[in-house]
Amino acid sequence: SRRQRQMCIRDRDGLVKRVIYAEVPPRVEYSLTDRAKSLLPCIDSLIAWAGENMAAILSDRMRSKVG
C-alpha cells in the first residue's frame, strides 16, 4: 500500500526506527530517530509561519476564485 511504501522510505532514510517483536500476534513499534527529531525545530517554524500567514493565504485563495 501507499502507506507501507512511505514508511519504508522513512525507515530507509533513517527518519524512523522500527522495532519488530517476535510475538503472537506480531507487534511493531515505530519511533523517530535523532535525525528526524533534529527536523522538529524546522517543522515548528513552518507551523508558526503557516499560522501567521493563514488569514492572508485564505484571503488570496478566495480572491483568486472570484477573479
Side-chain angles (χ1 to χ4, degrees), residues 14-64:
L15 299 177
V16 174
K17 178 182 175 187
R18 181 174 60 169
V19 178
I20 303 170
Y21 296 91
E23 300 175 348
V24 177
R27 179 171 59 109
V28 180
E29 289 183 356
Y30 296 92
S31 60
L32 295 178
T33 63
D34 288 340
R35 181 179 304 151
K37 289 177 185 176
S38 73
L39 287 170
L40 293 177
C42 299
I43 294 168
D44 288 340
S45 294
L46 182 58
I47 291 169
W49 177 89
E52 293 166 4
N53 290 280
M54 187 54 61
I57 291 168
L58 293 175
S59 175
D60 290 343
R61 286 180 183 173
M62 292 303 292
R63 236 180 297 136
S64 70

